[in-house]
Amino acid sequence: MSEEESPAQRVAIGISFGNSYSSIAYTSGEGKAEVIANEEGDRQIPSILSYVSGEEFQGTQAKAQLVRNAKNTVAYFRDFLGQDFKSIDPTPCHHSAHPIQHESTVAFKIKDKEDDTENTVTVSEITTRHLRKLKNSASDYLGKNVNAAVITVPTNFSDAQKDALSKAAKDAGIEVLQFINEPVAAVLAYDARPEAKLADKNIVVADLGGTRSDVAVIASRGGMYSILATAHDYDVGGAQLDEVLMDYFAKEFLKKWKNGGDPRVDDRASAKLKLESEAVKKALSIGSSANFSVESLSKGFDFTCSINRMRYETISSKVFATFVRLVLNVVEKAQLDPLDISEIILAGGTAHTPRIASSLASAFPESTTVLAPSTSATAINPSELAARGAAIQASLIQEFETEDIDQSTHPMVTVTPHLARAIGVLCISSDESTGVFRHLVEAETPVPVRRTAIIATPREGGDVLVKICEGTRVIKVTKPEPKANGKAADDSDDDEDSDESDEEEELREKTYKVENVLAEAALKGLSKGAKVELQINVAADLSCTFFAREVGGKVAVRGGWKAPGKA
Amino acid sequence: MTTFQIGLPLPVLSADWSAPTESKTLTAATDRNIEPVGPHFLAHARRKRHKRTFSEDDR
Ligand SMILES: Nc1ncnc2c1ncn2[C@@H]1O[C@H](COP(=O)(O)OP(=O)(O)OP(=O)(O)O)[C@@H](O)[C@H]1O
Ligand SMILES: [Mg+2]
């Protein structure tokens, strides 16, 4: 349809397009990202289209059609794009239009026209229609025709899926400037806040959605992001929590109305049950209790029932535990320890659940900040992170020529050597075994890199040694002191005894072990109370120059080392 | 990037210290993909494409 717009004519937004919900966001003139509410006032727009006598509905209105008009309602289709029928999992579409095989792609048979004939509509066409609605909502809000977007995708979205999404967007009049990974968009949304400070840290993004949960471990180094490990779980998400509540309310209903029939069996009753259970679940993220209330739930019987948060957390505890395990597994997959993780960003709608955030907080050490609405006053709405990140990226690149964007995102530019070990300086003692290693550059930092530190000197000043080393992070475990009347510590083959000692918390700390001395330099005649500024510059070929000087003084020294393999 | 503060003092130079003669190098690096996202990546891409260093970029 539309040709590529020249950068000057672009109006670009950020789009998060999930299987369950979509969001649109833009970046204002002041550089602030904001999520746009559609005509119905929704910022989380169900990714659902429904047709009634040829009229198209989207979002919340379409979702309501799941009760009466499920066959002509298309939902949970994002992951089908660019896939062949054999490789998709149709389970989430159990209560809506079923995906079918159509030529080499996936389609739905729906009555989407006034004439009541059943048409085969491909997932690509459905996506185009959905994106067109999103585009129109954004255009209405902004008062100009939106014609470009940055769209977020899961980290395991294949090139074929991206191509299909790109084409579907193009057909909706949207030029996809760039696809960015969902967890990276979440990190960017946090880093773009004016109060954010640049720091080198390892971040976990736990994106807990509706039909899937995706976790990524990201090395954030000077504002650049590298993904160290990912995991995807299609068996656990918000839908499983809905099911826990559906089971609970169905059983309560049957207790009250013995002849009511199981609402989980009948299609229409189960659609009502599901919609209301989801609403109850969301209410329980804020309130300490919530009301389930459906008129004529099954066989004409109305049903109201209240549930408190504690009960909900008890019946959902297995699902909650699965999320925690998933996160811990990915940290392990990245060959990291929970102590290496500075932040857990909770993203996705399910991340609103207070118990998930608190369970994660207790599974990680105190030094790990859990960024979720219930654990942090400054957390960003987890449902908005992806769209905001996309909008920020859109504002950064919208003035670039398409060719420039393509070149910058090419592996020639993005594939970069990352340091295997940390680089730092020895403090207190010049002996590698007793000196304390303080890092300037963390492991997994992409090169080239430049870091500067201001370091204290001995109280009297004088001559100091700048000893630059490579170090590896080690976790130091200190076992608690054995109890005075306890058995000997080596008695650990006794089961009872080891159980008991497990209860005592061992102390785990992050320290560094010096592996390799890279360079040494002397700074002589420092004044009393002097501070030393040390700057390390590692080039792309791993050669290095460093510079140390007395802050505000004249003493200075330079040094460095060569690239490996160069004499 | 903000400057680190390291509160522990540098070691005292021993009287018999002499500059090492042997030259060392870093452990081999791992190639990874940097996510092409955010302002700092764009600066990195600019430097890489124009073969500029940090200090040339600062000017
Ligand atoms: N306040 C809330 N409390 C608890 N759960 C919520 C809340 N808001 C939304 N959810 C749930 O979050 C899920 C949707 O998450 P999200 O908006 O991230 O969807 P998505 O990325 O489209 O999902 P997916 O692609 O995994 O299906 C739904 O199960 C929804 O019920
Ligand atoms: Mg999602």
Side-chain angles (χ1 to χ4, degrees), chain A residues 16-23 44-45 47 63 76 78-79 92 154 182 207-214 233 236-242 274 277-286 312 347-354 381-383:
Chain A
S16 143
F17 167 32
N19 291 292
S20 304
Y21 291 85
S22 297
S23 290
Q44 274 71 57
I45 303 160
S47 304
K63 194 167 183 170
Y76 308 109
R78 198 247 353 238
D79 282 353
E182 288 168 343
D207 179 355
L208 314 177
T211 64
R212 55 187 288 172
S213 294
D214 302 274
D233 193 331
V236 63
Q240 277 63 42
L241 295 170
D242 296 343
K274 184 168 164 61
S277 294
E278 188 187 1
V280 166
K281 175 186 74 175
K282 290 184 185 178
L284 286 169
S285 289
I286 315 168
Y312 169 59
T350 301
H352 286 276
T353 314
N381 181 346
S383 297

Tab-separated table of all heavy atoms in Angstrom, chain A residues 16-23 44-45 47 63 76 78-79 92 154 182 207-214 233 236-242 274 277-286 312 347-354 381-383, ligand 1:
chain	number	residue	atom	x	y	z
A	16	SER	N	3.057	-2.253	20.961
A	16	SER	CA	3.265	-3.559	21.573
A	16	SER	C	2.062	-4.400	21.162
A	16	SER	O	0.917	-4.030	21.427
A	16	SER	CB	3.365	-3.405	23.090
A	16	SER	OG	2.758	-4.489	23.739
A	17	PHE	N	2.342	-5.489	20.477
A	17	PHE	CA	1.283	-6.325	19.921
A	17	PHE	C	1.434	-7.716	20.536
A	17	PHE	O	2.322	-8.469	20.178
A	17	PHE	CB	1.445	-6.318	18.388
A	17	PHE	CG	0.656	-7.348	17.627
A	17	PHE	CD1	-0.590	-7.802	18.059
A	17	PHE	CD2	1.158	-7.857	16.428
A	17	PHE	CE1	-1.302	-8.744	17.324
A	17	PHE	CE2	0.456	-8.795	15.678
A	17	PHE	CZ	-0.766	-9.249	16.138
A	18	GLY	N	0.596	-8.008	21.528
A	18	GLY	CA	0.679	-9.305	22.185
A	18	GLY	C	-0.435	-10.225	21.722
A	18	GLY	O	-1.344	-9.805	21.010
A	19	ASN	N	-0.366	-11.463	22.114
A	19	ASN	CA	-1.460	-12.383	21.801
A	19	ASN	C	-2.727	-11.986	22.542
A	19	ASN	O	-3.828	-12.180	22.041
A	19	ASN	CB	-1.091	-13.810	22.200
A	19	ASN	CG	-0.003	-14.357	21.322
A	19	ASN	OD1	-0.210	-14.592	20.138
A	19	ASN	ND2	1.178	-14.551	21.892
A	20	SER	N	-2.556	-11.427	23.739
A	20	SER	CA	-3.721	-11.078	24.555
A	20	SER	C	-4.113	-9.611	24.419
A	20	SER	O	-5.280	-9.298	24.233
A	20	SER	CB	-3.446	-11.394	26.027
A	20	SER	OG	-3.089	-12.745	26.186
A	21	TYR	N	-3.132	-8.727	24.535
A	21	TYR	CA	-3.413	-7.294	24.493
A	21	TYR	C	-2.403	-6.558	23.615
A	21	TYR	O	-1.275	-7.019	23.444
A	21	TYR	CB	-3.336	-6.685	25.904
A	21	TYR	CG	-4.440	-7.125	26.837
A	21	TYR	CD1	-4.322	-8.317	27.560
A	21	TYR	CD2	-5.595	-6.369	26.991
A	21	TYR	CE1	-5.341	-8.733	28.420
A	21	TYR	CE2	-6.610	-6.770	27.850
A	21	TYR	CZ	-6.479	-7.954	28.565
A	21	TYR	OH	-7.484	-8.364	29.415
A	22	SER	N	-2.820	-5.398	23.128
A	22	SER	CA	-1.914	-4.525	22.382
A	22	SER	C	-1.947	-3.139	23.011
A	22	SER	O	-2.937	-2.766	23.644
A	22	SER	CB	-2.335	-4.423	20.915
A	22	SER	OG	-2.258	-5.689	20.303
A	23	SER	N	-0.864	-2.397	22.815
A	23	SER	CA	-0.814	-1.020	23.300
A	23	SER	C	-0.109	-0.158	22.271
A	23	SER	O	0.766	-0.637	21.555
A	23	SER	CB	-0.031	-0.923	24.606
A	23	SER	OG	-0.734	-1.520	25.652
A	44	GLN	N	-4.845	-0.886	27.426
A	44	GLN	CA	-4.561	-2.278	27.085
A	44	GLN	C	-5.728	-2.741	26.246
A	44	GLN	O	-6.832	-2.945	26.761
A	44	GLN	CB	-4.433	-3.160	28.340
A	44	GLN	CG	-3.045	-3.163	28.950
A	44	GLN	CD	-2.712	-1.851	29.598
A	44	GLN	OE1	-3.441	-1.408	30.479
A	44	GLN	NE2	-1.650	-1.196	29.172
A	45	ILE	N	-5.465	-2.847	24.970
A	45	ILE	CA	-6.537	-3.132	24.013
A	45	ILE	C	-6.494	-4.617	23.687
A	45	ILE	O	-5.498	-5.093	23.130
A	45	ILE	CB	-6.329	-2.287	22.741
A	45	ILE	CG1	-6.284	-0.798	23.104
A	45	ILE	CG2	-7.400	-2.587	21.699
A	45	ILE	CD1	-5.633	0.093	22.050
A	47	SER	N	-6.256	-7.895	21.903
A	47	SER	CA	-5.918	-8.163	20.496
A	47	SER	C	-6.976	-9.107	19.936
A	47	SER	O	-6.708	-10.278	19.669
A	47	SER	CB	-4.534	-8.808	20.391
A	47	SER	OG	-3.560	-8.010	21.017
A	63	LYS	N	-13.990	-8.473	22.669
A	63	LYS	CA	-13.815	-9.492	23.720
A	63	LYS	C	-15.165	-9.912	24.302
A	63	LYS	O	-15.393	-11.087	24.595
A	63	LYS	CB	-12.896	-8.933	24.808
A	63	LYS	CG	-12.388	-9.988	25.756
A	63	LYS	CD	-11.247	-9.444	26.599
A	63	LYS	CE	-10.691	-10.531	27.514
A	63	LYS	NZ	-9.458	-10.119	28.160
A	76	TYR	N	-6.033	-14.251	20.153
A	76	TYR	CA	-4.768	-14.981	20.394
A	76	TYR	C	-4.109	-15.445	19.101
A	76	TYR	O	-3.804	-16.618	18.936
A	76	TYR	CB	-5.023	-16.187	21.314
A	76	TYR	CG	-5.751	-15.810	22.583
A	76	TYR	CD1	-7.081	-16.182	22.790
A	76	TYR	CD2	-5.108	-15.046	23.551
A	76	TYR	CE1	-7.747	-15.809	23.952
A	76	TYR	CE2	-5.771	-14.671	24.719
A	76	TYR	CZ	-7.086	-15.057	24.903
A	76	TYR	OH	-7.742	-14.682	26.044
A	78	ARG	N	-1.386	-13.592	17.407
A	78	ARG	CA	-0.083	-13.036	17.056
A	78	ARG	C	0.973	-14.092	16.749
A	78	ARG	O	1.687	-14.017	15.754
A	78	ARG	CB	0.421	-12.116	18.173
A	78	ARG	CG	1.513	-11.173	17.745
A	78	ARG	CD	2.927	-11.338	18.330
A	78	ARG	NE	3.172	-12.275	19.369
A	78	ARG	CZ	3.683	-11.938	20.565
A	78	ARG	NH1	3.938	-10.691	20.842
A	78	ARG	NH2	3.927	-12.877	21.463
A	79	ASP	N	1.043	-15.094	17.604
A	79	ASP	CA	2.107	-16.090	17.432
A	79	ASP	C	1.908	-16.982	16.204
A	79	ASP	O	2.798	-17.755	15.856
A	79	ASP	CB	2.240	-16.958	18.689
A	79	ASP	CG	2.984	-16.232	19.806
A	79	ASP	OD1	3.488	-15.126	19.550
A	79	ASP	OD2	3.062	-16.779	20.922
A	92	PRO	N	-4.904	-21.757	22.877
A	92	PRO	CA	-5.534	-20.539	23.399
A	92	PRO	C	-6.826	-20.160	22.660
A	92	PRO	O	-7.652	-19.422	23.202
A	92	PRO	CB	-4.463	-19.459	23.193
A	92	PRO	CG	-3.173	-20.207	23.085
A	92	PRO	CD	-3.518	-21.499	22.440
A	154	PRO	N	8.721	-10.856	20.759
A	154	PRO	CA	9.454	-11.698	21.707
A	154	PRO	C	10.858	-12.001	21.178
A	154	PRO	O	11.090	-11.939	19.962
A	154	PRO	CB	8.640	-12.996	21.759
A	154	PRO	CG	7.336	-12.692	21.110
A	154	PRO	CD	7.556	-11.543	20.186
A	182	GLU	N	11.027	-7.384	23.100
A	182	GLU	CA	10.160	-6.924	24.192
A	182	GLU	C	10.916	-6.619	25.499
A	182	GLU	O	10.716	-5.547	26.081
A	182	GLU	CB	9.051	-7.968	24.449
A	182	GLU	CG	8.018	-7.989	23.337
A	182	GLU	CD	7.062	-9.193	23.378
A	182	GLU	OE1	7.376	-10.185	24.074
A	182	GLU	OE2	6.021	-9.145	22.720
A	207	ASP	N	8.683	-11.118	31.695
A	207	ASP	CA	7.496	-10.638	30.990
A	207	ASP	C	6.416	-11.709	31.114
A	207	ASP	O	6.458	-12.732	30.442
A	207	ASP	CB	7.862	-10.368	29.520
A	207	ASP	CG	6.664	-9.884	28.703
A	207	ASP	OD1	5.533	-9.840	29.235
A	207	ASP	OD2	6.865	-9.550	27.517
A	208	LEU	N	5.509	-11.468	32.036
A	208	LEU	CA	4.479	-12.453	32.332
A	208	LEU	C	3.189	-12.005	31.669
A	208	LEU	O	2.560	-11.039	32.087
A	208	LEU	CB	4.326	-12.591	33.852
A	208	LEU	CG	5.665	-12.700	34.613
A	208	LEU	CD1	5.430	-12.751	36.107
A	208	LEU	CD2	6.484	-13.907	34.137
A	209	GLY	N	2.837	-12.683	30.591
A	209	GLY	CA	1.707	-12.256	29.783
A	209	GLY	C	0.463	-13.078	30.032
A	209	GLY	O	0.201	-13.510	31.169
A	210	GLY	N	-0.298	-13.273	28.964
A	210	GLY	CA	-1.534	-14.028	29.080
A	210	GLY	C	-1.342	-15.478	28.682
A	210	GLY	O	-1.635	-16.396	29.447
A	211	THR	N	-0.810	-15.688	27.466
A	211	THR	CA	-0.658	-17.055	26.964
A	211	THR	C	0.775	-17.550	27.062
A	211	THR	O	1.051	-18.689	26.722
A	211	THR	CB	-1.080	-17.150	25.485
A	211	THR	OG1	-0.198	-16.348	24.691
A	211	THR	CG2	-2.502	-16.651	25.289
A	212	ARG	N	1.682	-16.695	27.485
A	212	ARG	CA	3.073	-17.110	27.571
A	212	ARG	C	3.822	-16.231	28.570
A	212	ARG	O	3.392	-15.121	28.871
A	212	ARG	CB	3.754	-17.024	26.194
A	212	ARG	CG	3.628	-15.634	25.552
A	212	ARG	CD	4.154	-15.616	24.135
A	212	ARG	NE	5.618	-15.699	24.123
A	212	ARG	CZ	6.334	-15.867	23.007
A	212	ARG	NH1	5.733	-15.969	21.837
A	212	ARG	NH2	7.650	-15.930	23.067
A	213	SER	N	4.948	-16.776	29.031
A	213	SER	CA	5.823	-16.005	29.903
A	213	SER	C	7.220	-16.067	29.312
A	213	SER	O	7.686	-17.134	28.929
A	213	SER	CB	5.827	-16.593	31.315
A	213	SER	OG	4.542	-16.441	31.876
A	214	ASP	N	7.853	-14.926	29.228
A	214	ASP	CA	9.178	-14.841	28.620
A	214	ASP	C	10.120	-14.157	29.598
A	214	ASP	O	9.798	-13.105	30.123
A	214	ASP	CB	9.110	-14.018	27.329
A	214	ASP	CG	8.135	-14.606	26.326
A	214	ASP	OD1	8.536	-15.488	25.561
A	214	ASP	OD2	6.945	-14.202	26.327
A	233	ASP	N	8.006	-19.833	28.239
A	233	ASP	CA	7.126	-20.877	28.762
A	233	ASP	C	5.698	-20.580	28.300
A	233	ASP	O	5.117	-19.563	28.666
A	233	ASP	CB	7.217	-20.901	30.302
A	233	ASP	CG	6.585	-22.155	30.868
A	233	ASP	OD1	5.645	-22.694	30.236
A	233	ASP	OD2	7.031	-22.605	31.940
A	236	VAL	N	2.548	-21.416	31.126
A	236	VAL	CA	2.216	-20.640	32.309
A	236	VAL	C	2.127	-19.158	31.966
A	236	VAL	O	2.985	-18.599	31.299
A	236	VAL	CB	3.219	-20.923	33.464
A	236	VAL	CG1	4.616	-20.491	33.099
A	236	VAL	CG2	2.771	-20.266	34.741
A	237	GLY	N	1.025	-18.565	32.383
A	237	GLY	CA	0.775	-17.148	32.119
A	237	GLY	C	-0.519	-16.771	32.817
A	237	GLY	O	-1.044	-17.556	33.625
A	238	GLY	N	-1.027	-15.608	32.478
A	238	GLY	CA	-2.265	-15.149	33.109
A	238	GLY	C	-3.420	-16.108	32.887
A	238	GLY	O	-4.302	-16.237	33.747
A	239	ALA	N	-3.429	-16.794	31.748
A	239	ALA	CA	-4.531	-17.713	31.447
A	239	ALA	C	-4.630	-18.828	32.493
A	239	ALA	O	-5.733	-19.268	32.830
A	239	ALA	CB	-4.353	-18.316	30.053
A	240	GLN	N	-3.475	-19.255	33.021
A	240	GLN	CA	-3.507	-20.314	34.040
A	240	GLN	C	-4.098	-19.793	35.349
A	240	GLN	O	-4.756	-20.529	36.071
A	240	GLN	CB	-2.094	-20.873	34.288
A	240	GLN	CG	-1.656	-21.931	33.279
A	240	GLN	CD	-1.570	-21.386	31.863
A	240	GLN	OE1	-1.085	-20.274	31.653
A	240	GLN	NE2	-2.068	-22.141	30.905
A	241	LEU	N	-3.850	-18.517	35.622
A	241	LEU	CA	-4.446	-17.936	36.833
A	241	LEU	C	-5.952	-17.781	36.648
A	241	LEU	O	-6.727	-18.008	37.577
A	241	LEU	CB	-3.786	-16.594	37.154
A	241	LEU	CG	-2.301	-16.701	37.534
A	241	LEU	CD1	-1.650	-15.328	37.606
A	241	LEU	CD2	-2.145	-17.439	38.864
A	242	ASP	N	-6.369	-17.421	35.417
A	242	ASP	CA	-7.809	-17.356	35.138
A	242	ASP	C	-8.435	-18.732	35.395
A	242	ASP	O	-9.519	-18.835	35.966
A	242	ASP	CB	-8.066	-16.967	33.674
A	242	ASP	CG	-7.563	-15.568	33.344
A	242	ASP	OD1	-7.319	-14.790	34.277
A	242	ASP	OD2	-7.421	-15.261	32.142
A	274	LYS	N	-14.951	-17.211	32.295
A	274	LYS	CA	-13.581	-16.790	32.047
A	274	LYS	C	-13.444	-15.269	32.103
A	274	LYS	O	-12.536	-14.743	32.740
A	274	LYS	CB	-13.091	-17.315	30.693
A	274	LYS	CG	-11.630	-16.977	30.425
A	274	LYS	CD	-11.066	-17.741	29.244
A	274	LYS	CE	-9.768	-17.160	28.726
A	274	LYS	NZ	-8.661	-17.151	29.695
A	277	SER	N	-13.773	-14.167	35.667
A	277	SER	CA	-12.622	-14.609	36.469
A	277	SER	C	-11.416	-13.714	36.202
A	277	SER	O	-10.669	-13.364	37.122
A	277	SER	CB	-12.261	-16.067	36.153
A	277	SER	OG	-13.296	-16.916	36.568
A	278	GLU	N	-11.219	-13.342	34.953
A	278	GLU	CA	-10.099	-12.450	34.643
A	278	GLU	C	-10.290	-11.100	35.337
A	278	GLU	O	-9.341	-10.532	35.894
A	278	GLU	CB	-9.945	-12.260	33.126
A	278	GLU	CG	-8.664	-11.483	32.791
A	278	GLU	CD	-8.512	-11.091	31.324
A	278	GLU	OE1	-9.409	-11.404	30.509
A	278	GLU	OE2	-7.490	-10.455	30.996
A	279	ALA	N	-11.543	-10.604	35.314
A	279	ALA	CA	-11.809	-9.320	35.967
A	279	ALA	C	-11.551	-9.406	37.462
A	279	ALA	O	-10.969	-8.496	38.066
A	279	ALA	CB	-13.249	-8.880	35.679
A	280	VAL	N	-11.962	-10.521	38.071
A	280	VAL	CA	-11.728	-10.723	39.507
A	280	VAL	C	-10.222	-10.764	39.791
A	280	VAL	O	-9.719	-10.141	40.726
A	280	VAL	CB	-12.415	-12.023	39.992
A	280	VAL	CG1	-11.907	-12.428	41.370
A	280	VAL	CG2	-13.932	-11.853	40.010
A	281	LYS	N	-9.509	-11.480	38.942
A	281	LYS	CA	-8.058	-11.601	39.111
A	281	LYS	C	-7.401	-10.216	39.100
A	281	LYS	O	-6.564	-9.906	39.957
A	281	LYS	CB	-7.499	-12.458	37.963
A	281	LYS	CG	-6.000	-12.578	37.940
A	281	LYS	CD	-5.517	-13.312	36.696
A	281	LYS	CE	-5.632	-12.433	35.463
A	281	LYS	NZ	-5.063	-13.091	34.257
A	282	LYS	N	-7.799	-9.391	38.141
A	282	LYS	CA	-7.221	-8.040	38.073
A	282	LYS	C	-7.577	-7.233	39.315
A	282	LYS	O	-6.731	-6.519	39.864
A	282	LYS	CB	-7.719	-7.309	36.827
A	282	LYS	CG	-7.155	-7.871	35.527
A	282	LYS	CD	-7.617	-7.031	34.337
A	282	LYS	CE	-7.176	-7.641	33.030
A	282	LYS	NZ	-7.656	-6.881	31.856
A	283	ALA	N	-8.827	-7.357	39.773
A	283	ALA	CA	-9.247	-6.610	40.961
A	283	ALA	C	-8.433	-7.038	42.175
A	283	ALA	O	-8.124	-6.226	43.051
A	283	ALA	CB	-10.737	-6.820	41.210
A	284	LEU	N	-8.065	-8.311	42.235
A	284	LEU	CA	-7.291	-8.816	43.378
A	284	LEU	C	-5.844	-8.332	43.371
A	284	LEU	O	-5.131	-8.501	44.361
A	284	LEU	CB	-7.335	-10.345	43.415
A	284	LEU	CG	-8.669	-10.950	43.879
A	284	LEU	CD1	-8.699	-12.445	43.634
A	284	LEU	CD2	-8.922	-10.633	45.354
A	285	SER	N	-5.417	-7.744	42.279
A	285	SER	CA	-4.067	-7.167	42.265
A	285	SER	C	-4.036	-5.866	43.052
A	285	SER	O	-2.981	-5.424	43.491
A	285	SER	CB	-3.600	-6.889	40.832
A	285	SER	OG	-3.340	-8.092	40.171
A	286	ILE	N	-5.192	-5.242	43.208
A	286	ILE	CA	-5.241	-3.972	43.942
A	286	ILE	C	-5.930	-4.165	45.290
A	286	ILE	O	-5.423	-3.757	46.312
A	286	ILE	CB	-6.007	-2.877	43.150
A	286	ILE	CG1	-5.566	-2.872	41.689
A	286	ILE	CG2	-5.787	-1.505	43.785
A	286	ILE	CD1	-6.458	-2.032	40.807
A	312	TYR	N	-7.142	-16.484	47.137
A	312	TYR	CA	-6.632	-16.502	45.751
A	312	TYR	C	-5.165	-16.927	45.714
A	312	TYR	O	-4.754	-17.753	44.907
A	312	TYR	CB	-6.813	-15.114	45.126
A	312	TYR	CG	-6.100	-14.914	43.811
A	312	TYR	CD1	-6.371	-15.737	42.705
A	312	TYR	CD2	-5.147	-13.895	43.652
A	312	TYR	CE1	-5.709	-15.555	41.499
A	312	TYR	CE2	-4.494	-13.706	42.445
A	312	TYR	CZ	-4.771	-14.537	41.381
A	312	TYR	OH	-4.116	-14.356	40.188
A	347	ALA	N	7.389	-7.230	33.825
A	347	ALA	CA	6.654	-6.663	32.693
A	347	ALA	C	5.489	-7.584	32.365
A	347	ALA	O	5.427	-8.726	32.824
A	347	ALA	CB	7.584	-6.536	31.487
A	348	GLY	N	4.550	-7.072	31.561
A	348	GLY	CA	3.390	-7.874	31.178
A	348	GLY	C	2.278	-7.751	32.209
A	348	GLY	O	2.521	-7.421	33.372
A	349	GLY	N	1.055	-8.000	31.766
A	349	GLY	CA	-0.105	-7.784	32.630
A	349	GLY	C	-0.073	-8.571	33.923
A	349	GLY	O	-0.432	-8.056	34.999
A	350	THR	N	0.370	-9.825	33.843
A	350	THR	CA	0.360	-10.685	35.023
A	350	THR	C	1.320	-10.186	36.095
A	350	THR	O	1.193	-10.530	37.273
A	350	THR	CB	0.668	-12.139	34.587
A	350	THR	OG1	-0.342	-12.525	33.643
A	350	THR	CG2	0.669	-13.112	35.738
A	351	ALA	N	2.269	-9.342	35.698
A	351	ALA	CA	3.245	-8.790	36.640
A	351	ALA	C	2.608	-7.850	37.664
A	351	ALA	O	3.251	-7.461	38.637
A	351	ALA	CB	4.355	-8.074	35.883
A	352	HIS	N	1.335	-7.493	37.445
A	352	HIS	CA	0.632	-6.683	38.453
A	352	HIS	C	0.371	-7.468	39.731
A	352	HIS	O	0.096	-6.878	40.772
A	352	HIS	CB	-0.723	-6.209	37.910
A	352	HIS	CG	-0.632	-5.113	36.905
A	352	HIS	ND1	-0.522	-3.797	37.259
A	352	HIS	CD2	-0.633	-5.136	35.552
A	352	HIS	CE1	-0.477	-3.040	36.166
A	352	HIS	NE2	-0.534	-3.837	35.113
A	353	THR	N	0.411	-8.785	39.642
A	353	THR	CA	0.040	-9.638	40.772
A	353	THR	C	1.022	-9.459	41.934
A	353	THR	O	2.203	-9.801	41.808
A	353	THR	CB	0.051	-11.114	40.335
A	353	THR	OG1	-0.629	-11.203	39.081
A	353	THR	CG2	-0.615	-12.003	41.363
A	354	PRO	N	0.569	-8.927	43.083
A	354	PRO	CA	1.510	-8.629	44.169
A	354	PRO	C	2.290	-9.854	44.642
A	354	PRO	O	3.482	-9.765	44.926
A	354	PRO	CB	0.602	-8.107	45.296
A	354	PRO	CG	-0.626	-7.634	44.603
A	354	PRO	CD	-0.804	-8.506	43.406
A	381	ASN	N	4.098	1.062	35.151
A	381	ASN	CA	3.040	0.087	34.889
A	381	ASN	C	3.563	-1.033	33.975
A	381	ASN	O	3.933	-0.777	32.836
A	381	ASN	CB	1.868	0.835	34.228
A	381	ASN	CG	0.702	-0.074	33.927
A	381	ASN	OD1	0.827	-1.309	33.959
A	381	ASN	ND2	-0.442	0.521	33.633
A	382	PRO	N	3.616	-2.264	34.469
A	382	PRO	CA	4.220	-3.353	33.681
A	382	PRO	C	3.513	-3.602	32.350
A	382	PRO	O	4.141	-4.072	31.398
A	382	PRO	CB	4.113	-4.583	34.588
A	382	PRO	CG	3.260	-4.202	35.727
A	382	PRO	CD	3.199	-2.719	35.809
A	383	SER	N	2.239	-3.255	32.275
A	383	SER	CA	1.500	-3.440	31.025
A	383	SER	C	1.913	-2.426	29.965
A	383	SER	O	1.574	-2.563	28.800
A	383	SER	CB	-0.007	-3.289	31.258
A	383	SER	OG	-0.470	-4.279	32.131
C	1	LIG	N1	-3.970	-5.842	36.965
C	1	LIG	C1	-3.756	-7.112	36.612
C	1	LIG	N2	-3.579	-8.074	37.539
C	1	LIG	C2	-3.371	-9.350	37.184
C	1	LIG	N3	-3.330	-9.772	35.926
C	1	LIG	C3	-3.496	-8.854	34.950
C	1	LIG	C4	-3.701	-7.492	35.241
C	1	LIG	N4	-3.821	-6.810	34.069
C	1	LIG	C5	-3.690	-7.719	33.097
C	1	LIG	N5	-3.498	-8.954	33.609
C	1	LIG	C6	-3.321	-10.210	32.881
C	1	LIG	O1	-2.172	-10.133	32.076
C	1	LIG	C7	-2.337	-10.954	30.926
C	1	LIG	C8	-2.026	-10.174	29.683
C	1	LIG	O2	-0.720	-9.761	29.724
C	1	LIG	P1	-0.132	-8.793	28.587
C	1	LIG	O3	-0.967	-7.597	28.499
C	1	LIG	O4	1.296	-8.645	28.881
C	1	LIG	O5	-0.472	-9.622	27.331
C	1	LIG	P2	0.257	-10.168	26.054
C	1	LIG	O6	1.666	-9.817	25.962
C	1	LIG	O7	-0.632	-9.808	24.956
C	1	LIG	O8	0.145	-11.727	26.376
C	1	LIG	P3	0.552	-13.021	25.608
C	1	LIG	O9	1.173	-12.686	24.313
C	1	LIG	O10	1.404	-13.726	26.589
C	1	LIG	O11	-0.776	-13.749	25.477
C	1	LIG	C9	-3.774	-11.436	30.946
C	1	LIG	O12	-3.815	-12.747	31.444
C	1	LIG	C10	-4.434	-10.463	31.901
C	1	LIG	O13	-5.537	-11.025	32.569
